[in-house]
Amino acid sequence: MYAILTDDSELARAEIGDRSYYFTEFVDGRRQEPLEGTVSSVACWGDTAAVRDEPERAAVDADGTRATPDAEGHHWGTVCPTDPDYREGLLERIGRLEGDVRLTTLGFPGAGFCRCERCNRRFEGSEHDERDAWRADVLTAFVAAVATRVDGELTATLYPDPYPGSLRERAGLEPAGLAAHVDGFLVPLCDPGYGTSYWVESLARGFARELEGLEVSLSIQLSGAEIDPERLAGVTRRVEPHADEIVYGTYPDDAETVREAIERLREEKAAPA
Ligand SMILES: [Zn+2]
């Protein structure tokens, strides 16, 4: 299956792939109205505007570094996942969406996060001895709460690191626990132009292995920017054996490239062997 991901409503309706993912909440804090018949892509704790307006809401590590766009290794602001008002607002907005939903920026923004007073207090009051186990519990409970509010398919985005234990250590995400509440996982493997692409195949294979035995689908997101259709089709051929769906991040300028790559791939499949 092929899909596109876009923030452009016209493109989302252009039927370039089998379905379209459409941004309704961005990591910079912008929101836009959902579009019927598309997968709503919702940034969870990535919200630069919220963190800029109220810096104390940002997730913080043991050294006091806040997860803001100017902190090293952070590209956007991240609200602490245990912020009760933010969590409630997020759940309420997700509950108003119709159809399929994809969650992005799901997780703590790094291995050392979050050490705010509330997180410290909650961890100490929890049944867990290990902070990573507590973090995984926080996130799995959130996704479980989302699942009860979504009437379509629910997809969770994973950080592209399939090494055993890495997702849990980095973000507090445990695919095996989350799998009970989601229909699929989506892994972005984006690079404009794909000057090299061996790593795309390696990571896709790693995730297919990590998710083996779980009742979930695997979508891989590729970038349709700065590339020609044949090369994009070539990168797709390398990851397709490991994925159920390929999602192309698409801007209006790349739409024809993506359309042509999908056409080539579909023709190959339709052709007799
Ligand atoms: Zn916190």
Side-chain angles (χ1 to χ4, degrees), residues 23-69:
F23 288 99
T24 60
E25 300 210 20
F26 298 81
V27 292
D28 63 6
R30 278 181 302 139
R31 293 174 197 154
Q32 63 180 3
E33 284 300 305
L35 200 60
E36 208 188 329
T38 63
V39 185
S40 297
S41 180
V42 180
C44 292
W45 289 290
D47 188 336
T48 300
V51 164
R52 189 186 50 225
D53 295 344
E54 295 174 273
E56 67 283 1
R57 296 191 103 157
V60 64
D61 70 7
D63 301 328
T65 302
R66 289 184 191 279
T68 60

Side-chain angles (χ1 to χ4, degrees), residues 58-60 80-83 108 114-120 134:
V60 64
C80 166
T82 66
D83 184 318
F108 289 84
C114 178
R115 300 285 177 132
C116 75
E117 273 177 37
R118 182 182 49 242
C119 283
N120 288 344
W134 170 77

Side-chain angles (χ1 to χ4, degrees), residues 66-103:
R66 289 184 191 279
T68 60
D70 45 2
E72 201 185 322
H74 296 264
H75 303 286
W76 51 76
T78 303
V79 175
C80 166
T82 66
D83 184 318
D85 295 340
Y86 194 86
R87 185 182 190 272
E88 221 26 67
L90 187 56
L91 285 173
E92 207 182 293
R93 294 196 298 280
I94 291 171
R96 285 200 296 267
L97 297 169
E98 281 172 22
D100 301 342
V101 172
R102 169 202 179 181
L103 306 176

